[in-house]
Amino acid sequence: GETRYTLRLEPRVLGPITGAVVSAPGLPRMLVVSEGRKNLVGIDLDAGEILWRLAARRGGTFRLRRAGRLVIVSGAETGLSAVDVVSGELVWRYRDKLKFPGGANVVGDTLAAVAGDAQSSAGARLHHVDPWSGEARWSVALPAGERPAGPVLVGNRTITVPTFVAGGTALLGYDRQSGELRFRRDACRGVSEIGRASCRKRV
């Protein structure tokens, strides 16, 4: 229970502190954490040393998702970025006109994320990206009037997007390979405001 080391970082502003621990065979034990106004910092957890700093172009809330030795960064800027956790090198950047506030979901060789949020006036889009190269595989616009209501879910054959619709929420299921809409299911319709809030939490 003794303190092994103490490390001082800049106070976080313009967003909550977020981070991701990286511990995998062949990689050093790392902590990637937000710092200051718009920095990400890579910390060697064994040595207690800062190995790298990477500055985003804008401040905001970082959302991080592991993909092998990469960390997928979203939220603070428009688009997605992949950072090498050991070197701090920017490996690729995937652009969109909107931010990805819900973060990305990575399963195997699939990275799925929605650009746009519930308050966006522009239409939201679901993107399927190769997590290792940042190459776009496909992207589709969500139906008019529907906005993302939660994290994207990646299944064996389907990518599912929960959305806000008039009077409740719905689930949209897209084919993982082609991006074709496979199903649409109303999740919560015609319920009271209290019941609708409960439904949205479950979705």
Side-chain angles (χ1 to χ4, degrees):
E2 297 181 357
T3 301
R4 297 183 59 185
Y5 55 77
T6 300
L7 189 65
R8 293 186 179 276
L9 301 175
E10 294 181 26
R12 177 71 173 139
V13 295
L14 296 181
I17 298 174
T18 55
V21 174
V22 179
S23 181
L27 296 179
R29 291 199 315 130
M30 297 282 298
L31 171 65
V32 180
V33 65
S34 55
E35 178 198 39
R37 182 176 181 271
K38 55 181 181 180
N39 288 336
L40 280 178
V41 178
I43 301 171
D44 186 319
L45 288 177
D46 293 321
E49 298 178 349
I50 295 176
L51 298 185
W52 52 263
R53 276 188 174 89
L54 183 67
R57 297 180 181 180
R58 301 177 182 177
T61 300
F62 292 102
R63 296 190 182 276
L64 309 177
R65 176 69 69 171
R66 270 281 310 284
R69 66 179 288 154
L70 301 179
V71 170
I72 311 301
V73 183
S74 60
E77 299 179 339
T78 56
L80 303 168
S81 299
V83 178
D84 187 298
V85 297
V86 178
S87 67
E89 177 186 359
L90 181 64
V91 177
W92 55 257
R93 180 175 282 129
Y94 180 83
R95 289 297 190 187
D96 190 272
K97 296 179 180 179
L98 302 174
K99 293 184 178 181
F100 291 79
N105 195 351
V106 180
V107 176
D109 64 350
T110 293
L111 185 159
V114 172
D117 57 27
Q119 285 74 45
S120 175
S121 58
R125 295 189 69 89
L126 170 64
H127 297 264
H128 182 195
V129 180
D130 185 305
W132 319 120
S133 67
E135 180 182 354
R137 290 178 174 159
W138 51 259
S139 71
V140 295
L142 270 58
E146 300 199 24
R147 297 289 180 266
V152 176
L153 307 175
V154 179
N156 291 332
R157 296 192 302 165
T158 306
I159 298 174
T160 303
V161 181
T163 62
F164 291 122
V165 297
T169 55
L171 296 175
L172 305 176
Y174 294 89
D175 185 273
R176 183 166 164 173
Q177 297 301 318
S178 66
E180 180 183 357
L181 183 63
R182 298 182 62 186
F183 66 81
R184 184 187 185 284
R185 301 284 186 272
D186 289 335
C188 301
R189 279 292 183 109
V191 296
S192 67
E193 286 297 326
I194 294 177
R196 187 176 304 150
S198 176
C199 283
R200 289 177 179 175
K201 289 180 180 179
R202 291 202 301 271
V203 171

